[in-house]
Each structure stands twice: as structure tokens, then as C-alpha cells.
Amino acid sequence: ILGVRDIHADHAASHIGKAQGIVTCLRATPYHSTRQKVFLPMDICMLHGVSQEDFIRGKQEKNMRDVIYDIASQAHIHLEHVR
């Protein structure tokens, strides 16, 4: 937008965008769950023994918190790349 032509700025912006997308998905999870939708990666959910139905029912068990933690950790990794 500002006419910056720098590969490093592009790389940083890419990681910031990915981190923001992950965080937005996590923040919207309660909203989507009330509408019977889950947009979290199923491979991570399955790794922790969590189903889409668990999120839809609003359970708050440790394994569900572990799913959220793992996904949030991916956003954190993207931010570390930016730094």
C-alpha cells in the first residue's frame, strides 16, 4: 500500500497476517459454536481426543483447552518469526 518494496517486510507481513488469522479463528470459536459450526483444525482436535460436538456443546475440559493452546501456539510461532 505504501510502496514498500522489501522482501523482509513482505515476509514479516505474511507472518503477521497468518497470526492474525489464527487468532481471529480462535476468538470466533464460541460464536460459531452457537451456530453449530467449528472451524478449528480437526487433526489437532483429534490429537487431543476432542470432537466438533464437544465445542458445540460448550464443554470446557482440559483436552479442549489443550487444542486451543496448540492452535494459539502456532500464532505465537508466526509472531516470533516476525521478531
Side-chain angles (χ1 to χ4, degrees):
I1 293 173
L2 299 175
V4 175
R5 302 247 184 240
D6 179 42
I7 189 97
H8 300 296
D10 290 346
H11 190 227
S14 173
H15 281 292
I16 290 170
K18 290 172 187 173
Q20 182 62 45
I22 292 168
V23 169
T24 299
C25 182
L26 288 175
R27 290 183 64 213
T29 296
Y31 170 81
H32 290 297
S33 294
T34 63
R35 283 148 182 80
Q36 312 296 306
K37 306 267 188 225
V38 179
F39 296 107
L40 300 176
M42 290 314 304
D43 58 334
I44 296 175
C45 291
M46 289 172 38
L47 180 69
H48 294 284
V50 175
S51 68
Q52 290 182 338
E53 191 65 29
D54 293 332
F55 282 100
I56 291 169
R57 289 185 180 168
K59 292 184 178 179
Q60 295 188 4
E61 298 173 359
K62 183 187 181 314
N63 58 345
M64 294 179 68
R65 289 191 299 272
D66 291 341
V67 168
I68 300 300
Y69 181 85
D70 282 358
I71 296 170
S73 293
Q74 292 301 310
H76 185 262
I77 289 168
H78 285 294
L79 291 178
E80 287 299 316
H81 284 304
V82 172
R83 289 186 185 128

